[in-house]
Amino acid sequence: MPVPFESLIPFAIISGMFLVTGTGIQYAQNKRNEGKTVRYSVDDWDHKMMQRDKQLTGTLRGQVDAPVASEEFKVNSSWKVYESLRNDFA
Amino acid sequence: MVNPGYKHFKGEDWVDPTPPPAHLPTVDEVGCTGAPLKSASFFIGSMCKEYNEDFMLCKNETRDPEHCLLEGRKVTRCAIDALQKIQSKCLSEFRTHWQCLDSKNQELGRCRQQEKVLNQCLFAAFGWKKDVPGSPANKPQIHERKPLTS
């Protein structure tokens, strides 16, 4: 008697689920990083640099290379809002 | 970004309503984001070494921001000057390099080919050589090492 096709249906369902999760993760990461690969091992320096990039471009992964910043950059920092984000002097 | 406790007032909409005092000279800010800065970092470092060291020594005395405004302005102007020089002569090589860095998690070791092209262009234009401070003198620098398996 040949292999019954009914027993292979669970395998198909399982691989289908792997495909669904893989595609979902790819889509989510693509959306969040504007088509670029994910940033990993982000330390404190990189985190603060990405926040600065957000002030300059509006998104965490946007990049521009103008030597001089626009005038909005001088006043759009939100770090002054919250006391504990500032460095403590003296 | 949402600052804790300010969910009603997102950080992106914040505009500082208090300008700096009028007696301070104004200075343009550096407009490069992370990847172009990392690409140009060693050249900015070698060109602006004295100003950067002055600023670091000044900050070492006290963390008060008012104490080091003059040195900070010099650092910013020097960095802008270095970036303008790089972009005047080697713009396309610079752009290829930092776009490569952007897609490789900003790791310099993964973009050596584009870096080589950029270094050659900058050496031909200004005579600048990328030098990693503190590397041993008897061995080739890390960006000039030949890989064991190419």
Side-chain angles (χ1 to χ4, degrees), chain A residues 36-42 46 49 51-54 56-58 61-71 73-82 85 87-90, chain B residues 1 3-6 11-12 14-16 18 26-37 59 63-65 80 83-84 87 91 94-95 98 102-107 110:
Chain A
K36 303 176 186 171
T37 45
V38 170
R39 293 285 314 263
Y40 56 92
S41 304
V42 176
D46 293 323
M49 185 63 100
Q51 286 294 333
R52 182 179 179 272
D53 294 353
K54 190 163 186 198
L56 271 170
T57 62
R61 297 299 301 270
Q63 304 280 331
V64 287
D65 65 355
V68 173
S70 53
E71 282 299 312
F73 179 61
K74 291 187 183 178
V75 292
N76 70 355
S77 165
S78 78
W79 285 1
K80 281 190 177 184
V81 173
Y82 199 61
L85 289 176
N87 296 324
D88 258 2
F89 301 108
Chain B
M1 72 181 197
N3 295 309
Y6 284 89
E12 286 91 12
W14 173 255
V15 174
D16 187 4
T18 58
T26 52
V27 64
D28 293 328
E29 301 286 342
V30 179
C32 279
T33 48
L37 273 182
K59 274 287 188 188
R63 298 295 295 274
D64 184 20
I80 291 178
L83 284 164
Q84 275 168 345
Q87 292 195 13
L91 182 59
F94 180 54
R95 286 212 166 129
W98 70 251
D102 204 17
S103 59
K104 301 263 195 290
N105 197 41
Q106 309 240 357
E107 287 169 6
R110 288 163 74 179

Side-chain angles (χ1 to χ4, degrees), chain B residues 80-94:
Chain B
I80 291 178
D81 189 34
L83 284 164
Q84 275 168 345
K85 278 197 178 149
I86 293 177
Q87 292 195 13
S88 67
K89 290 288 177 66
C90 297
L91 182 59
S92 56
E93 288 91 349
F94 180 54

Side-chain angles (χ1 to χ4, degrees), chain A residues 13-29:
Chain A
I13 295 174
I14 291 170
S15 6
M17 288 300 128
F18 273 114
L19 265 173
V20 163
T21 44
T23 315
I25 288 177
Q26 284 283 334
Y27 175 72
Q29 284 177 350

Side-chain angles (χ1 to χ4, degrees), chain B residues 11-148:
Chain B
E12 286 91 12
D13 306 328
W14 173 255
V15 174
D16 187 4
T18 58
H23 66 267
L24 290 177
T26 52
V27 64
D28 293 328
E29 301 286 342
V30 179
C32 279
T33 48
L37 273 182
K38 186 151 192 179
S39 168
S41 54
F42 282 97
F43 301 107
I44 298 176
S46 63
M47 201 180 129
C48 304
K49 187 160 186 271
E50 297 90 19
Y51 303 113
N52 294 347
E53 283 176 354
D54 273 343
F55 183 70
M56 282 197 283
L57 290 170
C58 169
K59 274 287 188 188
N60 209 25
E61 294 161 17
T62 158
R63 298 295 295 274
D64 184 20
E66 207 185 344
H67 181 65
C68 296
L69 285 174
L70 173 68
E71 286 86 355
R73 285 196 291 272
K74 287 184 188 166
V75 164
T76 317
R77 287 193 201 120
C78 184
I80 291 178
D81 189 34
L83 284 164
Q84 275 168 345
K85 278 197 178 149
I86 293 177
Q87 292 195 13
S88 67
K89 290 288 177 66
C90 297
L91 182 59
S92 56
E93 288 91 349
F94 180 54
R95 286 212 166 129
T96 345
H97 186 225
W98 70 251
Q99 275 158 10
C100 167
L101 278 179
D102 204 17
S103 59
K104 301 263 195 290
N105 197 41
Q106 309 240 357
E107 287 169 6
L108 286 168
R110 288 163 74 179
C111 289
R112 291 293 179 205
Q113 213 173 350
Q114 291 87 346
E115 191 185 328
K116 196 169 163 184
V117 173
L118 175 63
N119 290 356
Q120 280 166 355
C121 171
L122 283 174
F123 186 66
F126 301 111
W128 289 347
K129 222 166 158 11
K130 173 179 157 174
D131 175 50
V132 179
S135 53
N138 56 349
K139 296 198 184 138
Q141 303 244 329
I142 190 165
H143 56 280
E144 284 158 7
R145 273 170 45 184
K146 299 237 179 299
L148 288 172

